[in-house]
Amino acid sequence: MSRPSAHSYRPTSHERWNHETLATLAFDWERIGAPGIAPKRPFKVYLPTTTEEVVRAVREAKELDQKLIVRGHGHSSNNLVTGARACVLLTEWMDQIVEIDEERLTCTMQGGAVLAQVDTALAEHGLGLSIIGDHDDITAAGFASVGGISPASHRYGMFVDTVIELEYVDWEGIVHTCSRTHRREDLLRLLAGTGRHGVITSLEVSIVRVDKRREVLRNDSFVTLDVSNFIERSGKLIEDPGDAVMERGVWADLPVTGGVNIRVGQFSSYHETTQNPLKSLYNRAAYGYQQLLGYWAGRLPGRIDVAAKYLGFAAIMLPPSFADFKNVERFTDQILDSTVGDPTRMLIVLAPADKYGVLFRELYRLCLDERDNSGAITFISLYVKAIRSSYLSRGEEDRRHCELMLYVGVDPDRMTEKILNGLVERIDALTVAHSAFRYMHTRTTADPVRRQLVDPNTAYEAVELATSDTVNPR
């Protein structure tokens, strides 16, 4: 058991947006899709370092009848972490790794711990997080509050499925602990609850023995120019990943010139392979080139910068044949800068695996129609992953899900709030029609009734917290 110090990190996929300046507290990820959005400047910011200080902040806000918002690093685009003249509780300084237990294979950390830093610290012990996001600045409590998906989610579930125990402060300012065996209903309600039910102050998660920087995996991938072929082949791997260690895929529809579009899809399935120096060298050289593209993104003159982004797309479509764990986990984040070229939006559906094909087609058609009708959408891409999550399946172990992430470019002059809301409403309608969920940190309907229908936390929210029936003052 040990208590390592935090490690430094540097964002790579959105370098023009610095998470560490006071001005960023007025924005969330929405700014990536709407660069001209008006700021929502908070009135007061709490910077707790301990659970006791969180208690003080919550009780003070309650006594003063002030709106309190919990914020990590602001990756939400669903109006969860900003508020005009609100009080913000920033978890950034609650960033310590409390304990690494190598015998039990668990790690306990404060809610504001950055998972990339935690993973780096675990690597010193030959360990790692089984589920981690592809951004370097995601916090533990933030990831737990939305679900948390990775290329290994077909094996280990979502990040919430790896959480063993939580400590949290409810909206009365009372500290609680809950776990898989103690107040389990509270644990499930806090997980993927988007911060509605209290402030997560610490988490214990399961970890795995792995050498993410040295062990190389073999990439069995396919590339196709036919969307039906992509859906059929990727769908089989979504429903039955076999012995794949990690997997992910993407379909892209990129406009070029004269009304011509490049349409291409690729799916990567990563498997264990024998280790040798040549594979390791290939991994370092191939990903070194791709990371070089990512480094220059945002640093070049306008048109050259956009061209570099398209080279990044090409690199994603032709992934290397061998990759270490870390390069797979951070693949797109190392290459693409969301602040270069067209503004981008993410809209994510978590669907039953047997609805993958039909939902893929309907979501893609929705975006194609919007592009044709309004011109508000420029490029279209659909990123897909398999998920086997007890949380999503509500305990039905054989029930599989998948992530369908729309990552689209937008014309900010044409993507009006009315058009965006209409697009979101249609995505939510498809979600409900196919018994799917939305990933709630991406834009959803504001209607509370419809929102309950698409929120995976709704099934667990019906169970009251053991000692409090208070409502989040947000």
Side-chain angles (χ1 to χ4, degrees):
M1 299 180 183
S2 58
R3 181 186 173 90
S5 59
H7 294 257
S8 61
Y9 73 102
R10 180 180 67 84
T12 56
S13 71
H14 43 281
E15 292 181 14
R16 293 178 182 175
W17 181 9
N18 187 339
H19 291 271
E20 298 175 341
T21 69
L22 188 62
T24 63
L25 296 181
F27 301 96
D28 59 8
W29 195 259
E30 182 79 2
R31 185 166 63 163
I32 299 295
I37 193 171
K40 297 178 181 178
R41 296 186 177 92
F43 175 71
K44 183 190 295 185
V45 178
Y46 293 97
L47 290 166
T49 61
T50 65
T51 299
E52 291 73 24
E53 290 180 350
V54 172
V55 169
R56 287 171 53 195
V58 170
R59 291 181 179 177
E60 179 177 289
K62 179 178 173 60
E63 289 170 4
L64 297 174
D65 194 28
Q66 294 175 331
K67 185 176 183 179
L68 184 64
I69 292 172
V70 184
R71 180 185 177 106
H73 280 154
H75 270 276
S76 165
S77 57
N78 204 17
N79 198 31
L80 300 174
V81 297
T82 58
R85 314 320 294 152
C87 296
V88 172
L89 190 150
L90 192 61
T91 63
E92 185 167 347
W93 289 359
M94 297 187 67
D95 62 351
Q96 295 300 301
I97 299 172
V98 178
E99 180 181 69
I100 296 172
D101 190 326
E102 297 188 46
E103 292 184 5
R104 294 178 57 236
L105 286 180
T106 62
C107 179
T108 304
M109 66 205 77
Q110 288 184 298
V114 176
L115 291 177
Q117 299 176 19
V118 174
D119 216 33
T120 299
L122 290 171
E124 297 175 2
H125 302 264
L127 305 168
L129 295 166
S130 57
I131 300 295
I132 186 171
D134 55 2
H135 294 311
D136 271 353
D137 40 28
I138 296 173
T139 63
F143 215 35
S145 293
V146 297
I149 300 167
S150 93
S153 284
H154 66 287
R155 300 176 68 203
Y156 299 108
M158 299 194 298
F159 183 69
V160 294
D161 294 296
T162 73
V163 177
I164 300 168
E165 183 174 294
L166 288 180
E167 177 190 80
Y168 72 97
V169 178
D170 70 19
W171 299 116
E172 296 292 324
I174 301 171
V175 182
H176 306 276
T177 59
C178 52
S179 70
R180 298 285 169 182
T181 57
H182 171 65
R183 295 176 59 182
R184 178 180 173 86
E185 294 83 3
D186 291 1
L187 176 73
L188 294 174
R189 191 181 186 191
L190 267 291
L191 295 173
T194 60
R196 296 193 301 272
H197 311 305
V199 184
I200 297 174
T201 49
S202 72
L203 310 83
E204 181 186 32
V205 304
S206 59
I207 56 178
V208 293
R209 297 194 186 281
V210 63
D211 190 338
K212 291 188 177 182
R213 279 300 185 194
R214 289 192 179 90
E215 185 176 347
V216 174
L217 302 171
R218 183 190 75 252
N219 180 13
D220 294 340
S221 64
F222 70 81
V223 178
T224 178
L225 302 179
D226 182 79
V227 67
S228 295
N229 182 262
F230 177 82
I231 293 171
E232 179 184 0
R233 295 174 69 181
S234 62
K236 291 178 181 178
L237 293 168
I238 291 284
E239 290 207 46
D240 182 12
D243 62 358
V245 178
M246 293 185 181
E247 64 174 29
R248 71 191 319 158
V250 59
W251 173 263
D253 186 323
L254 309 174
V256 281
T257 58
V260 176
N261 287 49
I262 296 174
R263 296 185 173 101
V264 60
Q266 79 84 20
F267 195 95
S268 292
S269 182
Y270 296 89
H271 300 262
E272 292 181 347
T273 185
T274 55
Q275 304 297 300
N276 68 52
L278 288 179
K279 293 176 183 177
S280 297
L281 180 62
Y282 180 93
N283 164 61
R284 289 196 298 271
Y287 281 94
Y289 159 72
Q290 294 187 347
Q291 290 159 19
L292 187 63
L293 286 177
Y295 172 80
W296 283 107
R299 293 178 167 88
L300 299 170
R303 291 186 178 181
I304 299 176
D305 225 5
V306 174
K309 184 167 186 172
Y310 275 83
L311 280 176
F313 265 118
I316 288 172
M317 291 302 169
L318 298 169
S321 300
F322 297 98
D324 63 45
F325 281 77
K326 188 55 68 176
N327 280 331
V328 179
E329 288 174 341
R330 299 190 61 248
F331 184 35
T332 55
D333 192 62
Q334 295 180 128
I335 302 172
L336 295 181
D337 187 333
S338 297
T339 61
V340 172
D342 296 336
T344 55
R345 284 196 174 274
M346 287 189 296
L347 299 163
I348 302 176
V349 176
L350 306 178
D354 59 2
K355 299 295 182 69
Y356 168 76
V358 64
L359 254 175
F360 188 107
R361 291 182 185 278
E362 290 180 352
L363 290 170
Y364 184 34
R365 173 48 56 189
L366 192 66
C367 291
L368 288 172
D369 289 345
E370 191 61 64
R371 184 166 69 184
D372 291 342
N373 294 334
S374 70
I377 291 177
T378 56
F379 69 82
I380 302 167
S381 57
L382 261 164
Y383 289 82
V384 300
K385 298 186 188 80
I387 305 171
R388 186 171 187 171
S389 166
S390 177
Y391 188 92
L392 287 182
S393 67
R394 300 169 189 173
E396 297 180 30
E397 295 301 326
D398 293 333
R399 191 179 181 195
R400 292 183 176 273
H401 288 79
C402 61
E403 178 191 45
L404 291 157
M405 183 181 84
L406 284 168
Y407 180 79
V408 298
V410 299
D411 181 333
D413 294 327
R414 297 184 179 185
M415 181 60 83
T416 64
E417 192 68 13
K418 180 180 179 180
I419 289 176
L420 177 60
N421 286 338
L423 180 65
V424 168
E425 290 286 350
R426 294 194 295 277
I427 291 172
D428 286 348
L430 289 175
T431 300
V432 173
H434 293 292
S435 301
F437 303 110
R438 291 295 311 281
Y439 202 18
M440 298 301 292
H441 83 296
T442 65
R443 184 79 169 259
T444 66
T445 178
D447 176 69
V449 175
R450 178 60 65 88
R451 199 158 175 162
Q452 279 193 323
L453 295 176
V454 300
D455 187 350
N457 184 256
T458 298
Y460 304 106
E461 192 173 29
V463 180
E464 292 187 357
L465 288 176
T467 60
S468 174
D469 59 359
T470 57
V471 178
N472 183 339
R474 292 194 301 181

